[in-house]
Amino acid sequence: MNKGMVFGGRAACFLPIFLVLCLTRNSNILPVAEAIWLTIPSSGTKCVSEEIQSNVVVLGDYYVIDENNPDHIPTISARVTSPFGNNLHHNENATHGQFAFTTSESGNYLACFWKDGSHQKDSELTLGVDWKTGIAAKDWESVAKKEKIEGVELVLRRLQGIVETIRGNLIYLRDREADMREVSEATNARVAWFSIMSLGVCIAVSVLQIWYLKRYFVKKKLI
Amino acid sequence: MERKWRKISGLIGLLLLNFMNNVSSLSLTITKVECVYEIVRFEGDIVSGNFVVVDHHIFWSSDHPGIDFSITSPGGDILHNLKGTSGDKFSFKAPRSGLYQFCFHNPLSTPETIALYIHIGHIPNEHNLAKNEHVDPINVKIAELREALEAVTTEQKYLKARDAVHRRTNESTKKRVIGYTVGEYILLTIASVLQVVYIRRLFSKSVGYNRI
Protein backbone atom coordinates (compact mmCIF):
# COMPACT_ATOMS: atom_id res chain seq x y z
CA MET A 1 0.00 0.00 0.00
CA ASN A 2 2.84 2.29 0.90
CA LYS A 3 4.58 1.64 -2.38
CA GLY A 4 1.33 2.26 -4.20
CA MET A 5 0.83 5.55 -2.40
CA VAL A 6 4.34 6.72 -3.15
CA PHE A 7 3.88 5.79 -6.76
CA GLY A 8 0.48 7.47 -6.79
CA GLY A 9 1.97 10.62 -5.27
CA ARG A 10 4.71 10.70 -7.83
CA ALA A 11 2.17 9.98 -10.54
CA ALA A 12 0.20 13.00 -9.43
CA CYS A 13 3.42 14.96 -9.66
CA PHE A 14 4.27 13.71 -13.13
CA LEU A 15 0.80 14.04 -14.59
CA PRO A 16 0.69 17.84 -14.90
CA ILE A 17 4.19 17.88 -16.42
CA PHE A 18 3.14 15.42 -19.06
CA LEU A 19 -0.05 17.37 -19.68
CA VAL A 20 1.98 20.54 -20.14
CA LEU A 21 4.20 18.73 -22.60
CA CYS A 22 1.11 17.46 -24.42
CA LEU A 23 -0.46 20.87 -24.67
CA THR A 24 2.65 22.72 -25.67
CA ARG A 25 3.60 20.16 -28.28
CA ASN A 26 2.63 22.25 -31.19
CA SER A 27 4.03 25.54 -30.04
CA ASN A 28 7.56 26.77 -29.87
CA ILE A 29 7.75 26.85 -26.09
CA LEU A 30 8.84 23.27 -25.73
CA PRO A 31 9.50 21.77 -29.13
CA VAL A 32 9.30 18.08 -28.47
CA ALA A 33 12.27 16.65 -30.27
CA GLU A 34 10.52 13.96 -32.26
CA ALA A 35 11.52 15.35 -35.59
CA ILE A 36 14.26 15.04 -38.10
CA TRP A 37 16.64 17.96 -38.41
CA LEU A 38 17.77 19.37 -41.73
CA THR A 39 20.20 22.14 -42.57
CA ILE A 40 18.95 24.85 -44.87
CA PRO A 41 21.73 26.36 -46.98
CA SER A 42 22.21 30.11 -46.95
CA SER A 43 21.06 30.29 -50.55
CA GLY A 44 18.72 27.94 -52.30
CA THR A 45 15.88 25.77 -51.13
CA LYS A 46 15.83 22.51 -49.31
CA CYS A 47 13.02 20.23 -50.33
CA VAL A 48 11.78 17.02 -48.86
CA SER A 49 9.17 14.88 -50.50
CA GLU A 50 7.31 11.70 -49.95
CA GLU A 51 5.32 9.42 -52.17
CA ILE A 52 1.89 9.19 -50.54
CA GLN A 53 -1.25 7.36 -51.60
CA SER A 54 -4.59 9.09 -51.78
CA ASN A 55 -6.90 9.53 -48.80
CA VAL A 56 -4.11 9.68 -46.22
CA VAL A 57 -3.91 12.24 -43.43
CA VAL A 58 -0.66 14.20 -43.44
CA LEU A 59 0.42 16.27 -40.45
CA GLY A 60 3.46 18.49 -40.58
CA ASP A 61 5.22 20.66 -38.07
CA TYR A 62 8.43 22.59 -38.64
CA TYR A 63 10.47 24.86 -36.38
CA VAL A 64 13.76 26.66 -36.62
CA ILE A 65 16.46 25.56 -34.21
CA ASP A 66 19.06 28.16 -33.44
CA GLU A 67 21.09 28.04 -30.28
CA ASN A 68 23.40 30.91 -31.20
CA ASN A 69 21.06 33.83 -30.75
CA PRO A 70 17.80 32.84 -29.11
CA ASP A 71 16.34 36.33 -29.20
CA HIS A 72 16.85 36.88 -32.91
CA ILE A 73 15.80 33.64 -34.52
CA PRO A 74 16.16 33.63 -38.31
CA THR A 75 12.96 33.11 -40.26
CA ILE A 76 12.20 30.81 -43.11
CA SER A 77 9.50 30.38 -45.67
CA ALA A 78 7.80 27.15 -46.48
CA ARG A 79 5.63 25.79 -49.21
CA VAL A 80 3.90 22.44 -49.58
CA THR A 81 2.71 21.33 -53.02
CA SER A 82 0.64 18.43 -54.18
CA PRO A 83 1.73 16.22 -57.12
CA PHE A 84 -0.54 18.17 -59.46
CA GLY A 85 1.03 21.46 -58.45
CA ASN A 86 -1.62 22.79 -56.08
CA ASN A 87 -0.30 24.86 -53.24
CA LEU A 88 -1.39 23.23 -50.00
CA HIS A 89 0.43 25.42 -47.49
CA HIS A 90 2.43 28.60 -47.80
CA ASN A 91 4.11 30.49 -45.03
CA GLU A 92 6.56 33.38 -45.12
CA ASN A 93 8.81 34.90 -42.48
CA ALA A 94 8.03 32.42 -39.75
CA THR A 95 10.07 30.55 -37.22
CA HIS A 96 7.62 27.72 -36.91
CA GLY A 97 4.46 26.50 -38.55
CA GLN A 98 2.20 23.55 -39.08
CA PHE A 99 0.06 22.17 -41.79
CA ALA A 100 -2.46 19.36 -42.07
CA PHE A 101 -4.26 18.00 -45.07
CA THR A 102 -5.80 14.84 -46.45
CA THR A 103 -4.33 13.72 -49.73
CA SER A 104 -6.75 13.64 -52.63
CA GLU A 105 -4.43 12.18 -55.22
CA SER A 106 -1.56 9.75 -54.92
CA GLY A 107 1.85 10.95 -55.87
CA ASN A 108 4.85 12.89 -54.72
CA TYR A 109 4.13 15.56 -52.12
CA LEU A 110 6.84 18.18 -51.81
CA ALA A 111 7.63 20.48 -48.90
CA CYS A 112 10.20 23.16 -49.64
CA PHE A 113 11.93 25.52 -47.22
CA TRP A 114 14.13 28.50 -47.92
CA LYS A 115 15.72 31.29 -45.94
CA ASP A 116 14.11 34.68 -46.03
CA GLY A 117 15.86 37.57 -47.68
CA SER A 118 15.95 39.65 -44.52
CA HIS A 119 18.50 37.47 -42.77
CA GLN A 120 21.29 37.30 -45.26
CA LYS A 121 23.94 35.92 -42.98
CA ASP A 122 26.07 33.28 -44.59
CA SER A 123 25.25 30.68 -42.02
CA GLU A 124 23.17 27.62 -42.51
CA LEU A 125 20.31 27.18 -40.16
CA THR A 126 18.85 24.02 -38.72
CA LEU A 127 15.23 23.22 -39.24
CA GLY A 128 13.31 20.54 -37.41
CA VAL A 129 10.64 18.90 -39.53
CA ASP A 130 8.06 16.58 -38.08
CA TRP A 131 6.24 14.92 -40.92
CA LYS A 132 3.64 12.31 -40.07
CA THR A 133 1.43 10.38 -42.45
CA GLY A 134 -1.34 7.90 -42.00
CA ILE A 135 -1.66 6.15 -38.69
CA ALA A 136 1.10 8.18 -37.03
CA ALA A 137 -0.92 11.34 -37.68
CA LYS A 138 -4.06 10.10 -35.99
CA ASP A 139 -5.20 12.10 -33.00
CA TRP A 140 -5.47 9.47 -30.30
CA GLU A 141 -6.46 11.86 -27.55
CA SER A 142 -9.71 12.68 -29.27
CA VAL A 143 -10.39 9.01 -29.93
CA ALA A 144 -9.79 8.32 -26.23
CA LYS A 145 -12.11 11.10 -25.24
CA LYS A 146 -14.81 10.18 -27.69
CA GLU A 147 -14.91 6.50 -26.93
CA LYS A 148 -13.92 6.89 -23.29
CA ILE A 149 -11.12 4.36 -23.37
CA GLU A 150 -7.78 4.82 -21.75
CA GLY A 151 -4.64 3.13 -20.64
CA VAL A 152 -3.86 -0.30 -21.99
CA GLU A 153 -7.00 -0.46 -24.10
CA LEU A 154 -6.04 2.70 -25.95
CA VAL A 155 -2.54 1.44 -26.57
CA LEU A 156 -3.92 -1.81 -27.92
CA ARG A 157 -6.23 0.16 -30.17
CA ARG A 158 -3.17 1.98 -31.53
CA LEU A 159 -1.46 -1.34 -32.15
CA GLN A 160 -4.53 -2.49 -34.00
CA GLY A 161 -4.29 0.64 -36.15
CA ILE A 162 -0.67 -0.21 -36.94
CA VAL A 163 -1.63 -3.77 -37.89
CA GLU A 164 -4.33 -2.47 -40.22
CA THR A 165 -1.80 -0.15 -41.83
CA ILE A 166 0.53 -3.09 -42.36
CA ARG A 167 -2.25 -5.03 -44.01
CA GLY A 168 -3.10 -2.06 -46.24
CA ASN A 169 0.54 -1.78 -47.26
CA LEU A 170 0.70 -5.47 -48.10
CA ILE A 171 -2.36 -5.20 -50.31
CA TYR A 172 -0.88 -2.16 -52.02
CA LEU A 173 2.41 -3.96 -52.66
CA ARG A 174 0.59 -6.99 -53.99
CA ASP A 175 -1.45 -4.88 -56.42
CA ARG A 176 1.63 -3.01 -57.59
CA GLU A 177 3.43 -6.29 -58.15
CA ALA A 178 0.49 -7.56 -60.21
CA ASP A 179 0.61 -4.41 -62.36
CA MET A 180 4.31 -4.76 -62.86
CA ARG A 181 3.98 -8.38 -63.79
CA GLU A 182 1.53 -7.40 -66.51
CA VAL A 183 3.88 -4.73 -67.82
CA SER A 184 6.78 -7.20 -67.81
CA GLU A 185 4.82 -9.82 -69.69
CA ALA A 186 3.62 -7.26 -72.22
CA THR A 187 7.19 -6.07 -72.75
CA ASN A 188 8.37 -9.66 -73.13
CA ALA A 189 5.75 -10.38 -75.80
CA ARG A 190 6.58 -7.12 -77.53
CA VAL A 191 10.30 -7.86 -77.66
CA ALA A 192 9.66 -11.20 -79.33
CA TRP A 193 7.09 -9.82 -81.76
CA PHE A 194 9.11 -6.73 -82.69
CA SER A 195 12.26 -8.76 -83.34
CA ILE A 196 10.47 -11.11 -85.71
CA MET A 197 8.83 -8.14 -87.35
CA SER A 198 12.18 -6.43 -87.81
CA LEU A 199 13.41 -9.54 -89.63
CA GLY A 200 10.29 -9.37 -91.78
CA VAL A 201 10.83 -5.66 -92.47
CA CYS A 202 14.43 -6.38 -93.43
CA ILE A 203 13.45 -9.10 -95.89
CA ALA A 204 10.60 -7.04 -97.35
CA VAL A 205 12.79 -3.99 -97.83
CA SER A 206 15.54 -5.95 -99.53
CA VAL A 207 13.05 -7.69 -101.84
CA LEU A 208 11.60 -4.31 -102.79
CA GLN A 209 15.08 -2.96 -103.44
CA ILE A 210 16.01 -5.79 -105.75
CA TRP A 211 12.69 -5.63 -107.59
CA TYR A 212 12.96 -1.87 -108.08
CA LEU A 213 16.57 -1.99 -109.27
CA LYS A 214 15.81 -4.80 -111.69
CA ARG A 215 12.93 -2.81 -113.14
CA TYR A 216 15.13 0.26 -113.37
CA PHE A 217 17.95 -1.53 -115.16
CA VAL A 218 15.49 -3.16 -117.56
CA LYS A 219 14.05 0.27 -118.26
CA LYS A 220 17.47 1.70 -118.89
CA LYS A 221 18.25 -1.21 -121.17
CA LEU A 222 21.31 -2.24 -119.17
CA ILE A 223 20.18 -5.82 -118.71
CA MET B 1 -7.96 2.49 -4.74
CA GLU B 2 -5.81 -0.15 -6.38
CA ARG B 3 -7.69 0.25 -9.63
CA LYS B 4 -7.18 3.97 -9.51
CA TRP B 5 -3.40 3.62 -9.19
CA ARG B 6 -3.43 1.03 -11.92
CA LYS B 7 -5.33 3.39 -14.18
CA ILE B 8 -2.92 6.20 -13.45
CA SER B 9 0.09 3.97 -14.04
CA GLY B 10 -1.55 2.80 -17.24
CA LEU B 11 -2.06 6.39 -18.29
CA ILE B 12 1.54 7.25 -17.48
CA GLY B 13 2.64 4.21 -19.43
CA LEU B 14 0.47 5.30 -22.30
CA LEU B 15 1.86 8.80 -22.26
CA LEU B 16 5.37 7.43 -22.09
CA LEU B 17 4.70 5.22 -25.08
CA ASN B 18 3.15 8.19 -26.84
CA PHE B 19 6.41 10.02 -26.93
CA MET B 20 8.73 7.11 -27.23
CA ASN B 21 8.54 6.14 -30.83
CA ASN B 22 10.03 8.16 -33.52
CA VAL B 23 9.52 7.58 -37.23
CA SER B 24 10.82 9.69 -40.08
CA SER B 25 10.20 8.90 -43.68
CA LEU B 26 11.06 11.26 -46.47
CA SER B 27 12.84 11.61 -49.82
CA LEU B 28 15.78 13.91 -50.28
CA THR B 29 17.58 15.11 -53.35
CA ILE B 30 21.33 15.05 -52.99
CA THR B 31 23.69 17.08 -55.11
CA LYS B 32 26.90 16.71 -53.16
CA VAL B 33 26.57 16.06 -49.44
CA GLU B 34 23.36 15.93 -47.51
CA CYS B 35 23.04 15.28 -43.81
CA VAL B 36 19.98 14.50 -41.77
CA TYR B 37 20.03 14.68 -37.99
CA GLU B 38 17.92 12.80 -35.51
CA ILE B 39 17.88 12.96 -31.74
CA VAL B 40 17.98 9.70 -29.83
CA ARG B 41 16.60 10.35 -26.40
CA PHE B 42 17.64 7.25 -24.52
CA GLU B 43 20.81 5.25 -24.60
CA GLY B 44 20.11 1.72 -25.73
CA ASP B 45 17.36 2.61 -28.19
CA ILE B 46 17.38 0.60 -31.37
CA VAL B 47 17.74 2.78 -34.45
CA SER B 48 16.71 0.99 -37.62
CA GLY B 49 15.99 2.17 -41.09
CA ASN B 50 16.70 1.90 -44.76
CA PHE B 51 17.36 4.04 -47.77
CA VAL B 52 16.92 3.45 -51.48
CA VAL B 53 18.26 5.50 -54.35
CA VAL B 54 15.16 6.11 -56.36
CA ASP B 55 16.19 6.99 -59.86
CA HIS B 56 19.14 4.81 -60.57
CA HIS B 57 19.49 1.93 -63.03
CA ILE B 58 18.02 4.04 -65.75
CA PHE B 59 20.66 6.67 -65.96
CA TRP B 60 23.55 5.03 -64.19
CA SER B 61 26.11 3.44 -66.40
CA SER B 62 27.80 0.32 -65.15
CA ASP B 63 30.75 2.22 -63.76
CA HIS B 64 28.75 4.60 -61.57
CA PRO B 65 30.44 4.71 -58.17
CA GLY B 66 27.20 4.73 -56.19
CA ILE B 67 26.25 6.77 -53.16
CA ASP B 68 28.24 6.80 -49.91
CA PHE B 69 26.35 6.65 -46.65
CA SER B 70 27.60 7.11 -43.11
CA ILE B 71 26.11 7.31 -39.62
CA THR B 72 27.93 9.34 -36.99
CA SER B 73 27.22 9.14 -33.30
CA PRO B 74 27.12 12.28 -31.09
CA GLY B 75 30.61 11.42 -29.84
CA GLY B 76 31.98 11.60 -33.37
CA ASP B 77 32.52 7.89 -34.03
CA ILE B 78 31.35 6.58 -37.33
CA LEU B 79 28.96 3.75 -36.64
CA HIS B 80 28.21 2.69 -40.17
CA ASN B 81 29.99 3.44 -43.39
CA LEU B 82 28.85 2.21 -46.78
CA LYS B 83 30.51 3.16 -50.03
CA GLY B 84 29.04 2.82 -53.46
CA THR B 85 25.57 1.54 -52.67
CA SER B 86 22.21 1.98 -54.27
CA GLY B 87 20.16 1.21 -51.20
CA ASP B 88 20.56 -0.66 -47.94
CA LYS B 89 19.08 -1.37 -44.52
CA PHE B 90 20.74 -0.46 -41.25
CA SER B 91 20.07 -1.19 -37.62
CA PHE B 92 22.09 -0.47 -34.51
CA LYS B 93 21.74 0.00 -30.81
CA ALA B 94 22.46 3.59 -29.84
CA PRO B 95 25.53 3.65 -27.56
CA ARG B 96 24.52 6.98 -26.08
CA SER B 97 21.75 9.53 -26.34
CA GLY B 98 22.17 12.65 -28.41
CA LEU B 99 22.19 13.86 -31.97
CA TYR B 100 22.94 11.27 -34.61
CA GLN B 101 23.97 12.28 -38.09
CA PHE B 102 22.99 10.34 -41.23
CA CYS B 103 25.04 11.59 -44.17
CA PHE B 104 24.92 10.89 -47.87
CA HIS B 105 27.68 11.78 -50.24
CA ASN B 106 27.25 11.87 -54.01
CA PRO B 107 30.58 11.58 -55.82
CA LEU B 108 29.18 12.70 -59.16
CA SER B 109 27.47 15.98 -59.91
CA THR B 110 24.09 14.67 -61.10
CA PRO B 111 21.50 15.04 -58.33
CA GLU B 112 20.10 11.81 -56.97
CA THR B 113 16.87 11.28 -55.06
CA ILE B 114 17.00 9.05 -52.03
CA ALA B 115 14.04 7.71 -50.06
CA LEU B 116 15.06 7.48 -46.41
CA TYR B 117 13.26 5.88 -43.50
CA ILE B 118 14.48 5.99 -39.91
CA HIS B 119 12.79 4.45 -36.91
CA ILE B 120 13.94 4.88 -33.32
CA GLY B 121 12.39 2.41 -30.96
CA HIS B 122 12.44 2.52 -27.20
CA ILE B 123 11.48 -0.26 -24.86
CA PRO B 124 11.01 0.96 -21.30
CA ASN B 125 13.21 -0.80 -18.82
CA GLU B 126 14.27 -0.33 -15.23
CA HIS B 127 17.38 1.59 -16.25
CA ASN B 128 15.73 4.83 -17.29
CA LEU B 129 13.42 5.36 -14.36
CA ALA B 130 14.13 6.51 -10.87
CA LYS B 131 14.66 4.08 -8.05
CA ASN B 132 11.20 4.17 -6.53
CA GLU B 133 9.37 3.62 -9.75
CA HIS B 134 8.50 0.30 -11.20
CA VAL B 135 7.94 -0.52 -14.83
CA ASP B 136 4.73 -2.37 -15.38
CA PRO B 137 5.63 -5.56 -17.26
CA ILE B 138 2.62 -5.16 -19.50
CA ASN B 139 4.02 -1.87 -20.75
CA VAL B 140 7.28 -3.60 -21.60
CA LYS B 141 5.45 -6.32 -23.49
CA ILE B 142 3.32 -3.80 -25.33
CA ALA B 143 6.45 -1.84 -26.25
CA GLU B 144 8.08 -5.01 -27.57
CA LEU B 145 4.98 -5.83 -29.58
CA ARG B 146 4.94 -2.34 -30.99
CA GLU B 147 8.61 -2.58 -31.92
CA ALA B 148 7.95 -5.84 -33.76
CA LEU B 149 5.13 -4.21 -35.69
CA GLU B 150 7.29 -1.22 -36.48
CA ALA B 151 9.98 -3.58 -37.76
CA VAL B 152 7.41 -4.97 -40.21
CA THR B 153 6.46 -1.44 -41.24
CA THR B 154 10.14 -0.56 -41.78
CA GLU B 155 10.56 -3.58 -44.04
CA GLN B 156 7.43 -2.60 -45.94
CA LYS B 157 8.73 0.89 -46.56
CA TYR B 158 11.90 -0.61 -47.98
CA LEU B 159 9.88 -2.91 -50.21
CA LYS B 160 7.74 -0.01 -51.39
CA ALA B 161 10.78 2.04 -52.32
CA ARG B 162 12.37 -0.90 -54.15
CA ASP B 163 9.08 -1.56 -55.91
CA ALA B 164 9.00 2.05 -57.08
CA VAL B 165 12.53 1.72 -58.50
CA HIS B 166 11.66 -1.56 -60.18
CA ARG B 167 8.55 -0.03 -61.68
CA ARG B 168 10.55 2.82 -63.14
CA THR B 169 12.98 0.36 -64.68
CA ASN B 170 10.10 -1.62 -66.17
CA GLU B 171 8.39 1.37 -67.68
CA SER B 172 11.67 2.63 -69.05
CA THR B 173 12.29 -0.78 -70.63
CA LYS B 174 8.84 -0.73 -72.21
CA LYS B 175 9.41 2.72 -73.66
CA ARG B 176 12.87 1.77 -74.87
CA VAL B 177 11.61 -1.38 -76.59
CA ILE B 178 8.93 0.50 -78.51
CA GLY B 179 11.07 3.55 -79.23
CA TYR B 180 14.19 1.75 -80.35
CA THR B 181 12.31 -0.80 -82.49
CA VAL B 182 10.29 1.78 -84.36
CA GLY B 183 13.44 3.85 -84.78
CA GLU B 184 15.22 0.77 -86.10
CA TYR B 185 12.52 0.17 -88.72
CA ILE B 186 12.57 3.74 -89.89
CA LEU B 187 16.35 3.80 -90.12
CA LEU B 188 16.34 0.55 -92.05
CA THR B 189 13.85 1.92 -94.56
CA ILE B 190 15.77 5.17 -94.92
CA ALA B 191 19.06 3.31 -95.42
CA SER B 192 17.62 1.14 -98.13
CA VAL B 193 15.96 4.05 -99.89
CA LEU B 194 19.27 5.93 -99.81
CA GLN B 195 21.01 2.88 -101.25
CA VAL B 196 18.56 2.74 -104.14
CA VAL B 197 18.89 6.48 -104.79
CA TYR B 198 22.67 6.18 -104.80
CA ILE B 199 22.66 3.28 -107.24
CA ARG B 200 20.30 5.17 -109.49
CA ARG B 201 22.63 8.13 -109.47
CA LEU B 202 25.57 5.92 -110.40
CA PHE B 203 23.70 4.70 -113.43
CA SER B 204 21.97 7.97 -114.30
CA LYS B 205 24.15 8.99 -117.21
CA SER B 206 24.56 6.49 -120.03
CA VAL B 207 26.90 3.65 -119.38
CA GLY B 208 29.18 4.42 -122.24
CA TYR B 209 30.56 7.66 -120.75
CA ASN B 210 31.00 6.67 -117.10
CA ARG B 211 32.68 3.36 -116.74
CA ILE B 212 32.64 2.56 -113.03
Side-chain angles (χ1 to χ4, degrees):
Chain A
M1 190 64 169
N2 206 13
K3 194 172 168 191
M5 283 205 60
V6 166
F7 180 53
R10 206 171 270 240
C13 189
F14 273 160
L15 207 48
I17 296 176
F18 274 124
L19 282 175
V20 164
L21 280 178
C22 273
L23 290 171
T24 57
R25 229 187 120 193
N26 285 333
S27 74
N28 212 19
I29 305 172
L30 278 174
V32 179
E34 271 190 15
I36 207 167
W37 288 10
L38 307 165
T39 48
I40 304 217
S42 42
S43 69
T45 34
K46 178 69 75 88
C47 288
V48 296
S49 60
E50 198 182 338
E51 186 106 18
I52 309 177
Q53 295 153 255
S54 68
N55 232 7
V56 166
V57 178
V58 178
L59 217 60
D61 189 1
Y62 52 94
Y63 45 89
V64 175
I65 298 161
D66 194 6
E67 300 99 14
N68 300 336
N69 38 2
D71 44 344
H72 186 61
I73 303 177
T75 57
I76 48 120
S77 303
R79 166 173 293 167
V80 180
T81 41
S82 79
F84 290 165
N86 304 332
N87 197 357
L88 294 164
H89 170 81
H90 186 60
N91 205 359
E92 305 252 0
N93 277 339
T95 53
H96 66 275
Q98 357 175 164
F99 52 88
F101 57 90
T102 309
T103 57
S104 49
E105 56 253 1
S106 82
N108 216 19
Y109 285 78
L110 193 65
C112 286
F113 306 95
W114 62 95
K115 256 182 121 158
D116 272 335
S118 52
H119 296 275
Q120 266 310 336
K121 290 182 247 184
D122 275 328
S123 60
E124 303 183 329
L125 58 87
T126 317
L127 182 77
V129 176
D130 191 8
W131 173 275
K132 290 195 190 353
T133 52
I135 194 73
K138 191 159 177 182
D139 187 10
W140 290 105
E141 284 109 32
S142 66
V143 169
K145 238 178 285 196
K146 194 172 67 160
E147 305 195 15
K148 294 191 186 41
I149 50 177
E150 57 182 16
V152 175
E153 192 182 338
L154 184 62
V155 174
L156 287 177
R157 194 68 79 86
R158 288 180 74 158
L159 290 179
Q160 186 183 11
I162 295 178
V163 169
E164 278 169 12
T165 312
I166 288 177
R167 184 163 172 268
N169 280 343
L170 271 179
I171 292 175
Y172 171 77
L173 282 172
R174 190 189 62 190
D175 289 344
R176 293 270 288 199
E177 204 226 320
D179 278 346
M180 251 196 331
R181 199 183 56 224
E182 279 175 26
V183 169
S184 286
E185 292 189 354
T187 309
N188 187 16
R190 274 198 193 133
V191 163
W193 173 234
F194 282 3
S195 303
I196 294 176
M197 235 174 74
S198 96
L199 185 66
V201 164
C202 213
I203 293 174
V205 157
S206 50
V207 162
L208 273 173
Q209 268 185 326
I210 291 175
W211 172 79
Y212 179 77
L213 284 173
K214 191 162 175 193
R215 212 184 62 156
Y216 178 72
F217 288 154
V218 163
K219 203 166 68 163
K220 289 279 183 184
K221 297 190 176 52
L222 290 165
I223 299 179
Chain B
M1 200 64 154
E2 182 103 18
R3 275 195 75 199
K4 187 180 170 197
W5 299 136
R6 193 170 291 177
K7 263 195 193 166
I8 290 181
S9 74
L11 193 58
I12 298 290
L14 156 70
L15 289 170
L16 279 170
L17 281 176
N18 201 9
F19 287 113
M20 283 318 174
N21 276 291
N22 199 346
V23 157
S24 310
S25 131
L26 36 74
S27 300
L28 303 161
T29 310
I30 297 176
T31 32
K32 206 69 197 161
V33 175
E34 206 67 52
C35 283
V36 165
Y37 306 88
E38 186 103 39
I39 293 183
V40 176
R41 286 154 83 225
F42 296 95
E43 167 197 335
D45 282 355
I46 309 261
V47 180
S48 60
N50 51 64
F51 69 97
V52 173
V53 182
V54 165
D55 48 17
H56 83 296
H57 271 166
I58 306 176
F59 304 112
W60 281 12
S61 53
S62 54
D63 56 350
H64 193 287
I67 299 276
D68 306 331
F69 173 65
S70 69
I71 305 179
T72 314
S73 79
D77 330 303
I78 297 186
L79 294 169
H80 217 79
N81 202 357
L82 288 162
K83 292 216 177 290
T85 58
S86 62
D88 206 0
K89 299 191 248 189
F90 57 86
S91 171
F92 61 92
K93 193 163 176 164
R96 42 179 281 198
S97 62
L99 193 69
Y100 281 76
Q101 196 176 353
F102 300 84
C103 282
F104 296 95
H105 171 242
N106 185 7
L108 299 182
S109 54
T110 49
E112 301 284 347
T113 309
I114 295 191
L116 174 68
Y117 182 79
I118 301 172
H119 169 64
I120 301 178
H122 174 77
I123 297 181
N125 53 15
E126 305 285 341
H127 186 62
N128 300 117
L129 301 178
K131 282 196 182 33
N132 290 338
E133 289 174 358
H134 170 63
V135 177
D136 199 359
I138 198 172
N139 282 342
V140 176
K141 280 295 171 204
I142 288 179
E144 284 176 9
L145 181 60
R146 186 172 177 169
E147 284 311 302
L149 289 176
E150 294 284 354
V152 178
T153 310
T154 308
E155 191 70 34
Q156 280 189 330
K157 291 275 188 202
Y158 185 56
L159 286 174
K160 259 198 205 178
R162 295 249 295 209
D163 170 87
V165 173
H166 193 195
R167 197 193 185 107
R168 280 195 194 206
T169 311
N170 253 7
E171 306 226 322
S172 154
T173 307
K174 184 178 87 164
K175 287 198 190 104
R176 275 186 187 173
V177 159
I178 297 179
Y180 287 8
T181 331
V182 169
E184 183 194 331
Y185 294 169
I186 293 175
L187 273 176
L188 201 62
T189 339
I190 289 176
S192 50
V193 164
L194 282 175
Q195 274 181 329
V196 167
V197 163
Y198 181 67
I199 291 175
R200 263 184 76 137
R201 189 116 56 85
L202 285 177
F203 286 93
S204 65
K205 302 197 177 106
S206 79
V207 178
Y209 289 114
N210 296 330
R211 286 262 164 207
I212 296 161

